[in-house]
Amino acid sequence: MNPPAIAIDGPAASGKSTVAKLIAKELGYTFINTGAMYRAITWYALRRGANPADAAQICALLPEIPLEFGKDGTCSTVLFEGRVLSAELTSPETNQYVSTIAAIPEVRAYLLRKQREYNKVEPVVMEGRDIGSVVFPDTPFKYFVTASPEERARRRAKQGLTDSITERDKKDASRACAPLTQAPDALLVDTSEMSIEQVVERIITDIRTKLA
Ligand code: DC
């Protein structure tokens, strides 16, 4: 039996990926980026010419979707025809439609199984929107990482990415199925005025306290 997953949720550009990666490194766990999984399905659906707003069209692709969810070293990856997807996942088109596709219950059910499988194989730090609330509701390690909208917009711009994060957050938080939410038993970490090192330290201290 692997230790329970470390669940890290939060809105876009809250710094949760950076933090989750560092925590995974510190603990020797594998880092799983679930946003990349939703992004890969979005990229593939657009490539096939499917209409993201037509759930039936998207669902029809799922049974034969040629994406592989793997890992490279200590990080999750998504492969298409043996190639790790990377820049495709943050293209403007993918950014624009990922929240629409992530709201489809069948897409979420499909990825939920894949996400849970990772923790059967090895210990994981998993980052997303519904990890503490839906994917691993029983884990004692739940963290909701956020920052003010201004700070998140600033961080996104610094990465050179144009992504309307407010709009995406609104869609992610208002969908009926597994919305972006802070689980009632999650520790809230507002990173607006914290360095990355301070955030990692805060979360690692909590994990170690609970493990002791
Ligand atoms: O973490 P990210 O910004 O790369 O995620 C991209 C989108 O995927 C996000 O806007 C909503 C969706 N997502 C989700 O619905 N559930 C998750 N666990 C992770 C991401």
Side-chain angles (χ1 to χ4, degrees), residues 95-107:
N95 282 340
Q96 187 180 345
Y97 293 111
V98 65
S99 289
T100 305
I101 287 188
I104 301 171
E106 290 84 352
V107 170

Side-chain angles (χ1 to χ4, degrees), residues 4 15-16 46 62-63 74 85 89 112 122 124 130 152 175-176 178:
K16 60 191 189 311
L46 293 172
L62 290 177
T74 57
L85 296 177
L89 304 185
L112 179 68
E122 61 206 331
V124 298
D130 62 336
R152 291 190 290 112
R175 66 177 172 235

Side-chain angles (χ1 to χ4, degrees), residues 34-35 38-39 98-99 102 108 127-130 168 172 175:
T34 62
Y38 288 98
R39 287 173 179 274
V98 65
S99 289
R108 304 203 69 83
E127 173 250 309
R129 303 293 188 290
D130 62 336
R168 220 149 42 82
D172 294 339
R175 66 177 172 235

